[in-house]
Amino acid sequence: LQSPIKPPGFLYLSVLVTFAACNAPPVPLDDILIEKTFVPEQCARAVQVGDYVRYHYIGTFPDGKKFDSSYDRGTTYNVFVGKKQLIEGMDKALVGMCVNERSLVKIPPQLAYGKQGYGTIIPPDAILHFDVLLLDVWNPDDGVQTNTYHTPPVCSRKVEVSDFVRYHYNGTLLDGTLFDSSHTRMRTYDTYVGIGWLIAGMDQGLLGMCVGERRIITMPPSLGYGENGDGSDIPGQASLVFDVVLLDLHNPRDGITVTNQQVPESCTRTSVAGDFVRYHYNGSLLDGTFFDSSYSRNRTYDTYVGQGYVIAGMDEGLIGVCVGEKRTITIPPHLAYGEEGTGSKIPGSAVLVFDVHIIDFHNPADSTVVTVTSKPEECDVHTKKGDFVKYHYNASLMDGTPIDSTYNYGKTYNIVLGANQVVPGMEDGLMDMCVGEKRHLVIPPHLGYGERGVTGEVPGSAVLVFDIELVEMEEGLPEGYMFIWNEDVSPDLFAEMDKNEDKVVEPSEFTDYILQQVNDGKGRLAPGFDPYRIIDNMFSNQDRDGDGKITEAEFKLKADESAAHDEL
């Protein structure tokens, strides 16, 4: 960076030189005269005796005639200062200069080429003018210099030898000339540190950095590209300056790192290999760059764990979790997406950070978990298959998200046990229960609503939680029966049905008769079903030829049948 040119100033190094009027003859110089034509705003370092410098110059005589120029040769002049490798006047003039400083130096002959001159180029007793621009300065004793100008608030780990790092950089010469940048290539520089994969100065300069840290690394050529440069953009004997931001850091020996953010007070079970887990996550790179989130899709990520369905680090990180737990899982690339990454979102060799919230999990071998929370003192009659039951429930997901409640509707939920009117897990939970009993049910999805769930209500593969209370029950009929007699069957059953004595039983006669038996307490229909549908089914079973009426020859009792029917 350059500031506007400041007003030229004059530095008198030995004796004060008084300038006469413009038309006066030139006064002989007793010492060098330096006019600073540009001074940079910042000067981190000034040239000292023994330093090595790189500079450009234009050499002219007082009349303006040029006798030499480094620009014409296309290369800087590189030399040690104060070691008599230069004419004495230039040796003195360079001391105290800063990089990017520009000066007009006037050197008397006694501090230049004197009475002998220099061949045919410099005549004897010539005063020399040099327009000098200093580009670089270093010392053989220099090492790597680092200057951190941004430190992240949290630094859990710093770069060590043999770590693998991902970083961005801008590389410049000491005068600010840009020679390379990872930013222009739009990809980080990825490498091992401290094992010779980098120039020595960078190998040293990256040590101790934190992810998110920004630092300036300055190195002499002996730790950069040395005497020959890189053959292209970096000249020989050039100091190098790298502006670095560290984005990622891991070691090939690393495993996953798990940090618990929130663990529920009650955790009756933790996940094991083979469990099916539903969880939400936010995924980011180590520098905080976001790459994916289940929340943005408004649905959990559902998978088996410990069986290779997810990246190895996540497979491991989801073992031992509780429902409701929140944890951060940091995964090195060899347990994630490796050197290749996944294209645009996850770069190669990237460490991944997942903030995970466990919603629920189950195992395909799980059965319904039934916990009795309240039971009346008298509990002699228990529910069984075929019974008609009335119950209240509160339903939720494992994370407490409410789904439904009969209390909201002010009426019970009524079903016949064993008739597939509810999910299998609820069938299990209602069996062997007495009126007034309360239970807590945990139903795995394969005994609930399965992988599909219920659109808008129950997510796919969700574990369900029911708190139920049995309010009323009516004993069902024996298996295979939809109607039974409470007393002995009349021997004139057909005749009693045939009200008009036309030797056939019409549907209306059949229906009226069965309903009359039920009303009189002589028979009982299976509870919980539509009585007319049961009676229609019974009539159809007796109407063997399907002509819409039953003859005496067709009429048979169930006890007379060789096969079971839901009929008389």
Side-chain angles (χ1 to χ4, degrees):
L1 296 176
Q2 295 184 345
S3 63
I5 295 178
K6 296 182 179 179
F10 295 95
L11 177 63
Y12 298 85
L13 299 181
S14 180
V15 298
L16 180 64
V17 178
T18 303
F19 287 93
C22 295
N23 56 357
V27 179
L29 294 176
D30 293 326
D31 203 344
I32 64 171
L33 180 66
I34 298 175
E35 179 185 348
K36 296 185 178 183
T37 57
F38 178 80
V39 178
E41 287 186 352
Q42 295 181 350
C43 181
R45 175 174 179 174
V47 176
Q48 298 179 13
V49 172
D51 284 344
Y52 192 92
V53 296
R54 293 174 47 249
Y55 64 94
H56 268 307
Y57 70 88
I58 298 173
T60 61
F61 296 115
D63 63 0
K65 181 180 178 182
K66 182 170 67 175
F67 62 83
D68 193 15
S69 172
S70 62
Y71 296 100
D72 294 342
R73 293 192 297 274
T75 179
T76 56
Y77 196 81
N78 309 334
V79 69
F80 282 100
V81 175
K83 294 191 175 182
K84 299 185 178 180
Q85 296 178 0
L86 294 162
I87 58 175
E88 185 177 353
M90 186 62 77
D91 242 357
K92 295 176 65 175
L94 289 170
V95 173
M97 284 193 75
C98 300
V99 171
N100 286 324
E101 183 176 327
R102 187 171 181 177
S103 295
L104 179 60
V105 181
K106 299 179 181 180
I107 303 177
Q110 68 271 20
L111 298 178
Y113 293 99
K115 296 184 179 298
Q116 290 76 29
Y118 185 77
T120 61
I121 301 174
I122 308 293
D125 294 321
I127 296 174
L128 305 181
H129 292 184
F130 289 93
D131 187 349
V132 177
L133 174 62
L134 187 68
L135 300 180
D136 198 349
V137 55
W138 55 271
N139 193 281
D141 294 331
D142 287 348
V144 172
Q145 301 175 34
T146 61
N147 176 30
T148 296
Y149 64 91
H150 174 74
T151 302
V154 178
C155 181
S156 58
R157 176 174 178 179
K158 297 182 178 181
V159 176
E160 298 178 359
V161 172
S162 80
D163 282 343
F164 191 91
V165 296
R166 294 175 48 246
Y167 62 93
H168 270 304
Y169 69 89
N170 286 320
T172 63
L173 304 179
L174 205 59
D175 67 341
T177 302
L178 180 72
F179 62 80
D180 192 17
S181 173
S182 63
H183 297 281
T184 60
R185 294 190 296 274
M186 298 184 69
R187 61 172 300 173
T188 55
Y189 195 84
D190 310 337
T191 185
Y192 287 95
V193 176
I195 61 173
W197 285 33
L198 293 162
I199 56 175
M202 188 61 82
D203 248 355
Q204 296 177 32
L206 292 170
L207 294 177
M209 284 194 77
C210 305
V211 170
E213 182 178 336
R214 296 175 180 266
R215 67 167 52 171
I216 303 294
I217 302 172
T218 306
M219 63 194 70
S222 59
L223 299 176
Y225 289 93
E227 295 182 4
N228 298 320
D230 70 345
S232 176
D233 298 312
I234 300 175
Q237 300 289 30
S239 300
L240 304 181
V241 180
F242 290 91
D243 189 341
V244 175
V245 54
L246 186 66
L247 301 183
D248 202 343
L249 159 67
H250 77 276
N251 194 282
R253 298 186 300 271
D254 288 347
I256 68 167
T257 301
V258 174
T259 305
N260 289 324
Q261 305 295 345
Q262 177 182 314
V263 180
E265 293 182 3
S266 175
C267 182
T268 57
R269 173 180 168 185
T270 58
S271 60
V272 297
D275 283 344
F276 191 87
V277 181
R278 294 176 54 245
Y279 63 97
H280 272 303
Y281 70 88
N282 285 319
S284 63
L285 305 181
L286 204 58
D287 67 341
T289 302
F290 170 85
F291 64 79
D292 193 18
S293 174
S294 62
Y295 296 99
S296 64
R297 294 187 294 274
N298 199 31
R299 61 171 299 174
T300 55
Y301 193 85
D302 309 336
T303 186
Y304 288 96
V305 294
Q307 296 186 336
Y309 286 89
V310 289
I311 57 175
M314 187 62 82
D315 235 3
E316 182 182 349
L318 291 172
I319 299 295
V321 295
C322 304
V323 171
E325 181 174 338
K326 295 181 178 181
R327 61 169 49 178
T328 299
I329 305 171
T330 304
I331 304 174
H334 53 275
L335 297 176
Y337 294 99
E339 296 181 4
E340 300 299 323
T342 63
S344 60
K345 289 189 176 181
I346 300 177
S349 299
V351 176
L352 306 183
V353 180
F354 290 93
D355 288 311
V356 174
H357 182 200
I358 306 301
I359 303 302
D360 75 16
F361 63 85
H362 72 279
N363 194 282
D366 287 348
S367 58
T368 300
V369 177
V370 179
T371 304
V372 176
T373 57
S374 177
K375 199 168 188 177
E377 292 183 2
E378 294 185 10
C379 187
D380 299 326
V381 180
H382 296 80
T383 56
K384 63 183 184 305
K385 188 175 181 180
D387 288 349
F388 181 58
V389 298
K390 299 181 180 182
Y391 62 98
H392 273 301
Y393 69 81
N394 286 317
S396 65
L397 302 178
M398 282 288 278
D399 65 350
T401 301
I403 299 174
D404 195 16
S405 175
T406 56
Y407 296 101
N408 293 337
Y409 311 122
K411 60 181 182 179
T412 57
Y413 198 80
N414 309 330
I415 66 162
V416 177
L417 284 176
N420 297 320
Q421 296 175 350
V422 288
V423 295
M426 183 60 79
E427 292 263 22
D428 296 338
L430 287 167
M431 289 292 184
D432 201 31
M433 195 174 183
C434 60
V435 172
E437 185 175 341
K438 296 180 180 180
R439 291 181 174 181
H440 180 79
L441 311 181
V442 179
I443 302 175
H446 52 275
L447 298 176
Y449 292 103
E451 294 182 7
R452 293 184 178 275
V454 178
T455 303
E457 296 182 38
V458 180
S461 300
V463 178
L464 305 178
V465 178
F466 285 90
D467 287 300
I468 62 174
E469 177 184 4
L470 187 61
V471 176
E472 188 178 329
M473 67 172 286
E474 183 179 346
E475 186 179 3
L477 302 188
E479 189 171 359
Y481 287 81
M482 296 300 285
F483 173 84
I484 62 171
W485 297 96
N486 291 332
E487 54 187 47
D488 293 339
V489 182
S490 170
D492 299 322
L493 185 58
F494 184 82
E496 291 178 6
M497 288 186 182
D498 184 17
K499 292 291 186 181
N500 59 7
E501 298 180 355
D502 62 354
K503 303 302 181 182
V504 294
V505 175
E506 303 287 343
S508 60
E509 292 175 315
F510 188 88
T511 300
D512 290 344
Y513 184 82
I514 295 299
L515 290 177
Q516 186 62 49
Q517 305 311 303
V518 173
N519 290 335
D520 293 344
K522 296 177 181 180
R524 192 155 71 93
L525 291 168
F529 297 99
D530 182 353
Y532 291 97
R533 292 187 65 180
I534 295 175
I535 295 170
D536 286 345
N537 187 52
M538 293 169 62
F539 182 88
S540 296
N541 287 334
Q542 293 294 325
D543 181 16
R544 301 175 194 282
D545 60 6
D547 63 354
K549 55 190 176 182
I550 303 170
T551 65
E552 190 169 6
E554 290 177 309
F555 191 80
K556 291 182 181 180
L557 295 175
K558 189 175 181 70
D560 299 328
E561 297 285 350
S562 59
H565 294 285
D566 294 333
E567 57 189 48
L568 295 174

